């Protein structure tokens, strides 16, 4: 998050230059005469940064009474984590959106690359955009996210289980001297549906205000993130914090130095964690699947071998004694090109990314935006304690590195893919992130 926000000013200047070129190319120069005061809306999250760009359209604005208002969503669910044995792999169903996003990236240059993507964060960011849209623009965004409409979209968001290990927080910001305010109805909706703080500051005050908000919402973990947001007109900010401990932590005393062989055959020395315990495991047609439980009703699901149909194998998981060997690693990933915009295009989003047809009048009357770019940046750390940057509530009741002659072997010393779920194997399952470690 610190890296993302500290680069916002440079991104805004760069985007302005790129927008001019884009407009000239796509519209024959019709929109190429805007200046530095042209506004950008930036949606920021620890995972997703969705950028809307301003354009000028000769369209009659609707009145305030004509703006559609979204109904109240169900209260946010915050339930206690169930016991591990309540997980039923037979109930596992990968959502069509999650599967489509992973497949799209793998089919478009990332199949043999290491990367991270958060389907849940992308969907949550689209919530904020769709709430500000009207008509077919809203319908396309909801449909692309896998929903029949905003009611279903909001129901999905409200069902996203929070816990001490996983928190989602939102805020929307406008710069008073660069753009008109958000509509009252938009502020009310994002506050009610997504618990988003609505804030308005002068341009030279917004940097400090956002830093203060981040410090408060992250309990001081991000005390100062933004260096200078003076030129940024609007920010829709989401923080998705995932700091989850293994339910049974790995013993640091059992960690050893070994060799990881990448998909390209190159070898590198890494630290490997190991322990033996009872886990959900399956091996089928060259694919191995292992589930390691995390605190906070979350699960780390790892795949080895053949990736074809790997998620279909999950329903065959059985409790087994398994000797687990995982590399200790950090992974940073960024999608800052057109990959995610192209993904939305492949799912039927046309109006929202077209300056001639985009309709975001629920967000701000008197100005017109279209989706120009979607950027997602993520960082992940896997250690003896768990998943994230820090871990708490660690337990140590699993066996250490001693091998068991009857145990299955699950050794990640080469390419693997993995996912973190909340509510794994239940009707309230969400994929928080998907990743690949390939080299």
């Amino acid at each position: 998050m610190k890296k993302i926000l500290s680069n916002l000013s440079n991104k805004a200047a760069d985007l302005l230059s790129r927008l001019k070129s884009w407009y000239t190319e796509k519209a024959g120069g019709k929109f190429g005469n805007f200046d530095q005061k042209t506004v950008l809306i930036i949606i920021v999250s620890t995972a997703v940064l969705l950028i809307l760009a301003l354009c000028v359209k000769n369209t009659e604005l609707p009145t305030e009474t004509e703006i559609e208002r979204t109904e109240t969503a169900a209260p946010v669910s915050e339930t206690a984590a169930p016991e591990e044995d309540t997980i039923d792999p037979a109930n596992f169903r990968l959502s069509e959106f999650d599967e489509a996003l992973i497949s799209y990236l793998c089919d478009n240059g990332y199949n043999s690359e290491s990367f991270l993507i958060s389907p849940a964060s992308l969907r949550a960011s689209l919530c904020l955009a769709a709430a500000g849209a009207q008509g077919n623009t809203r319908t396309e965004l909801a449909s692309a996210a896998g929903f029949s409409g905003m009611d279903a979209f909001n129901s999905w968001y409200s069902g996203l289980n929070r816990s001490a290990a996983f928190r989602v927080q939102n805020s929307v910001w406008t710069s008073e001297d660069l753009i008109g305010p958000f509509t009252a109805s938009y502020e009310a909706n994002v506050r009610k549906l997504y618990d988003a703080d609505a804030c308005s500051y002068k341009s030279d005050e917004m940097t400090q205000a956002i830093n203060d908000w981040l410090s408060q919402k992250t309990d001081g973990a991000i005390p100062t993130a933004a260096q200078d947001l003076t030129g940024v007109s609007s920010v829709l900010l989401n923080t998705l914090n995932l700091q989850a401990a293994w339910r049974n932590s790995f013993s640091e005393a059992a960690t050893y130095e070994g060799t990881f062989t990448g998909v390209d055959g190159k070898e590198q020395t890494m630290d490997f964690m190991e322990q033996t315990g009872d886990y959900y495991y399956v091996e089928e047609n060259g694919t191995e699947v292992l589930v390691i439980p995390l605190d906070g009703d979350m699960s780390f699901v790892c795949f080895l071998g053949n990736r074809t149909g790997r998620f279909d194998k999950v329903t065959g998981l059985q409790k087994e004694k398994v000797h687990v060997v995982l590399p200790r690693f950090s992974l940073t990933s960024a999608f800052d090109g057109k990959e995610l915009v192209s993904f939305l295009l492949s799912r039927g989003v046309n109006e929202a990314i077209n300056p001639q047809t985009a309709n975001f009048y629920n967000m701000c009357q008197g100005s017109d935006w279209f989706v120009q770019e979607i950027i997602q940046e993520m960082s992940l750390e896997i250690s003896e304690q768990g998943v994230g940057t820090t871990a708490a509530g660690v337990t140590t009741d699993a066996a250490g590195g001693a091998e068991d002659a009857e145990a299955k072997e699950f050794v990640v010393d080469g390419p693997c893919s993995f996912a973190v779920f909340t509510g794994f194997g239940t009707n309230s399952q969400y994929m928080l992130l998907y990743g690949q470690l390939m080299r």
Side-chain angles (χ1 to χ4, degrees), residues 29 156 159 278 373:
W156 170 87
D278 293 328
E373 192 166 4

Side-chain angles (χ1 to χ4, degrees), residues 169-366:
Q169 295 159 318
N170 303 291
S171 59
V172 296
W173 306 75
T174 58
S175 178
E176 296 173 350
D177 44 356
L178 293 179
I179 187 176
F182 292 122
T183 64
S185 61
Y186 177 72
E187 289 189 4
N189 277 336
V190 296
R191 184 181 295 112
K192 180 188 300 181
L193 300 172
Y194 317 122
D195 198 27
D197 297 326
C199 312
S200 179
Y201 285 86
K202 291 183 179 179
S203 180
D204 60 357
E205 298 175 346
M206 195 156 69
T207 302
Q208 185 61 49
I210 288 178
N211 283 335
D212 290 344
W213 187 91
L214 282 170
S215 180
Q216 178 187 3
K217 296 300 183 181
T218 62
D219 298 324
I222 311 176
T224 302
Q227 300 303 314
D228 186 6
L229 297 177
T230 303
V232 176
S233 301
S234 298
V235 175
L236 309 185
L237 177 61
N238 165 269
T239 65
L240 190 156
N241 300 316
L242 173 61
Q243 298 179 354
W246 305 117
R247 189 167 295 171
N248 299 313
S249 64
F250 289 79
S251 170
E252 292 187 26
T255 298
Y256 66 93
E257 193 174 90
T259 300
F260 182 93
T261 304
V263 69
D264 53 3
K266 294 182 179 179
E267 297 181 346
Q268 61 175 309
T269 300
M270 299 181 71
D271 288 332
F272 287 85
M273 315 174 297
E274 65 172 336
Q275 65 172 289
T276 300
D278 293 328
Y279 297 97
Y280 282 104
Y281 170 85
V282 68
E283 190 283 325
E284 181 181 341
N285 297 329
T287 301
E288 291 183 81
V289 187
L290 180 78
V291 180
I292 306 179
L294 296 160
D295 284 344
D297 190 24
M298 289 184 285
S299 301
F300 180 86
V301 184
C302 192
F303 302 87
L304 290 177
N306 180 19
R307 285 185 283 165
T308 302
R310 62 197 145 158
F311 288 104
D312 296 334
K313 310 293 194 305
V314 171
T315 56
L317 289 165
Q318 299 288 336
K319 269 295 187 66
E320 302 273 6
K321 185 176 291 295
V322 184
H323 175 229
V324 180
V325 178
L326 291 178
R328 186 173 63 190
F329 68 95
S330 298
L331 182 60
T332 300
S333 178
F335 291 96
D336 55 5
K338 296 292 185 182
E339 300 97 341
L340 298 181
V341 171
S342 297
F343 169 66
L344 293 185
L345 266 171
S346 74
R347 293 180 65 79
V349 173
N350 295 293
E351 282 198 4
I353 63 174
N354 186 333
Q356 296 295 325
T357 58
N359 181 348
F360 286 97
Y361 290 136
N362 273 5
M363 188 178 293
C364 184
Q365 293 194 44

Side-chain angles (χ1 to χ4, degrees), residues 126-153:
L126 290 176
C127 276
L128 293 171
Q134 289 185 354
N136 199 48
T137 299
R138 169 182 280 194
T139 299
E140 287 184 353
L141 288 171
S143 178
F147 303 105
S148 58
M150 285 305 295
D151 286 345
F153 209 157

